[in-house]
Amino acid sequence: MKTLMLAGALLLASSAAFAQPPAAAPPTMPPNIRMGLGVQGEIAFNRVCSACHTPSGQTGADARAPAQETLRQFPPERIYSALTTGKMQVQGASLSDLERRQVAAW
């Protein structure tokens, strides 16, 4: 009887040692992420950039401007740089620094 009780206690102790804590819930997505979920960046883009940077297949005010889908492949740092000190500096001047960052993240 003692052997059976000892075996049961050991089994219980060993199963507790290997028990896994409950899985954590997956992290929620931040409200301002790349690929279209940053509302403020989209609003600023539509106000300042969308006349030239149109969806693929549409013609904008400047046919040389990359389509929106092409821009989304660029890292945010490259877009921010273009708006701040690069080719799009004149257009970026009408945006605050925060708006330039939001457009780049969008």
Side-chain angles (χ1 to χ4, degrees), residues 6-39:
L6 181 58
L10 287 173
L11 181 61
L12 183 62
S14 66
S15 65
F18 292 106
Q20 297 289 326
T28 58
M29 298 301 285
N32 189 11
I33 64 168
R34 188 118 165 101
M35 297 305 290
L37 298 180
V39 174

Side-chain angles (χ1 to χ4, degrees), residues 51-62:
C52 296
H53 297 287
T54 58
S56 289
Q58 295 182 14
T59 304
D62 186 344

